[in-house]
Each structure stands twice: as C-alpha cells, then as structure tokens.
Amino acid sequence: MDSSRISLRPFKLTDVDDMMLWAGDDRVTQTIRWNTLTSKEEALTFIKDVCIPHPWRRSICIDDRSIGFVSVFPGSGDDRNRADVGYAVAFEYWGQGIGTEAVKMTIPQVYSEFPEVIRLQALVDVENKASQRVLEKVGFIKEGKLRKYGYHKGKLVDLFMYSLLSTESIY
Ligand SMILES: CC(C)(COP(=O)(O)OP(=O)(O)OC[C@H]1O[C@@H](n2cnc3c(N)ncnc32)[C@H](O)[C@@H]1OP(=O)(O)O)[C@@H](O)C(=O)NCCC(=O)NCCS
C-alpha cells in the first residue's frame, strides 16, 4: 500500500456506509471492545454520539474512504501523563502495513495535541499476534503480561501491556 493514500481524519456522518463494511464485521470487532454494528441506523448513532465527541478518534482512510479507526484516550487527574491507544482495520486490508502506518501517524499528532501525555499505552490480548506486531514495529515496548486482567466479550483474558514514551518515539 502506497502510504500517501493513507490518511487519518475525524469521522463524518457520511462515513456510515463505509464504516458498516468494517465495524459490521465480527472478524474486525472480535478483538476490540466495540460491539459489531448491525444496522446503518446504529452506525449513524455511533458516529454521532461516540466517534465525533471522542477526545481523539480518527478514521483511517484510503483515498479518504473510511477503512478503520485509531483512538487515543488521554487520562485525567493523576493519570494525565498517559493515554490508551486502540485501532482496527477492515479485514480485506489486513497485512498491507496500514495498521502500522496509522499508529505511526498517530504518535506525533497525539504528543503534539496533548502536551501532558508522555506515555502511550496499549493493552493487547496475548493471542492477538497481529496487534502485538504492529506495536513492536512502531517501537512500543512490551512491559509484561497482566494475568487474568479482565473480561473481553465474556471471556477472562491475559493481556500484554505495551508502552511508548514520548522521549522514545522516532516519529
Ligand atoms: C491488528 C490490526 C489492526 C493490524 O492491522 P494490519 O493493517 O493488518 O497491520 P500491518 O499490516 O501493519 O501489520 C501486521 C503485522 O502482523 C503480522 N501478523 C498478522 N497475523 C499474524 C499472526 N497470526 N502471527 C504473527 N504475526 C502476524 C503481519 O505479518 C505483520 O507483520 P510484518 O509486517 O512483520 O509481516 C488488524 O489485524 C485488525 O484490525 N485486527 C482486529 C482489531 C484489533 O485486534 N485491534 C487491535 C486491538 S489491541
């Protein structure tokens, strides 16, 4: 994938049909917290009430069409130093470097827009090798395994904690 075709931008209501193609796909949502969207109406409400007001959620676009998302949620109060990262890419685009490119593009934007955030972190299911690889390619450090850390879609899971400090990022 030519990286000049990849961009990040805020969601728009007009993304609804493109978004249904990936956010309505269980293969994409099974490893994230989102429930699979089941109708265009649900997707529209989700864009309007959740994606647009989100502190930092961007649509990953190819030629300006939505094929995924990256979210960064900054902490507050004593947690204001850190922010959690999440992302997904439409199934048909997996394995083309898009997830990696999107996270790379996210890092400088977030460190610039949220000056107090100095640590980006991601919690990844130990079985989600593709996501671990994305983080490792971008320079995140695997800090350790959080055993039986929480429920994911009804199942108790072990998670790896990854982080990248602002001083470590080369992007
Ligand atoms: C995780 C996800 C975003 C990756 O997107 P992507 O665009 O396919 O990622 P990239 O192509 O940039 O890189 C994927 C890497 O994982 C590797 N990979 C994929 N499946 C793998 C597996 N089962 N075992 C080991 N490595 C694997 C690929 O080979 C590639 O590494 P490489 O470049 O060294 O060959 C995508 O799989 C996805 O949307 N998954 C569902 C949502 C999700 O899990 N999000 C993350 C939650 S923490």
Side-chain angles (χ1 to χ4, degrees):
M1 175 64 63
D2 173 359
S3 61
S4 69
R5 295 177 62 199
I6 305 170
S7 61
L8 304 182
R9 61 151 171 79
F11 278 92
K12 303 187 279 197
L13 295 180
T14 48
D15 289 325
V16 63
D17 290 321
D18 291 329
M19 191 178 183
M20 276 302 291
L21 297 176
W22 53 268
D25 183 345
D26 289 334
R27 294 171 298 189
V28 174
T29 56
Q30 66 187 349
T31 47
I32 60 175
R33 286 176 168 249
W34 298 20
N35 291 322
T36 308
L37 296 175
T38 55
S39 71
K40 188 170 168 174
E41 292 67 34
E42 196 186 349
L44 205 50
T45 304
F46 188 66
I47 294 173
K48 185 158 60 74
D49 295 348
V50 181
C51 296
I52 293 176
H54 191 284
W56 202 94
R57 175 166 291 169
R58 298 291 182 264
S59 170
I60 302 172
C61 296
I62 301 292
D63 303 331
D64 204 43
R65 295 193 67 164
S66 181
I67 58 109
F69 80 94
V70 194
S71 290
V72 176
F73 196 89
S76 58
D78 287 350
D79 299 335
R80 64 189 182 280
N81 61 306
R82 63 178 189 251
D84 289 288
V85 185
Y87 41 82
V89 169
F91 180 78
E92 67 189 284
Y93 288 101
W94 286 6
Q96 298 183 41
I98 297 170
T100 304
E101 188 60 29
V103 177
K104 273 186 198 172
M105 292 164 82
T106 297
I107 295 165
Q109 292 188 34
V110 166
Y111 281 138
S112 159
E113 283 180 44
F114 300 97
E116 288 200 293
V117 171
I118 52 139
R119 171 190 165 96
L120 288 173
Q121 64 180 37
L123 288 169
V124 185
D125 192 302
V126 294
E127 290 173 9
N128 192 348
K129 304 285 185 210
S131 183
Q132 290 165 40
R133 186 77 191 113
V134 164
L135 293 167
E136 284 162 9
K137 284 195 288 181
V138 173
F140 278 67
I141 306 296
K142 188 195 278 184
E143 294 182 321
K145 186 197 278 187
L146 303 171
R147 297 174 301 158
K148 309 276 181 231
Y149 191 67
Y151 283 92
H152 179 75
K153 300 195 170 166
K155 186 182 157 211
L156 197 53
V157 289
D158 294 340
L159 301 174
F160 286 128
M161 171 65 91
Y162 280 86
S163 73
L164 179 73
L165 302 184
S166 55
T167 48
E168 296 166 343
S169 173
I170 59 163
Y171 303 110

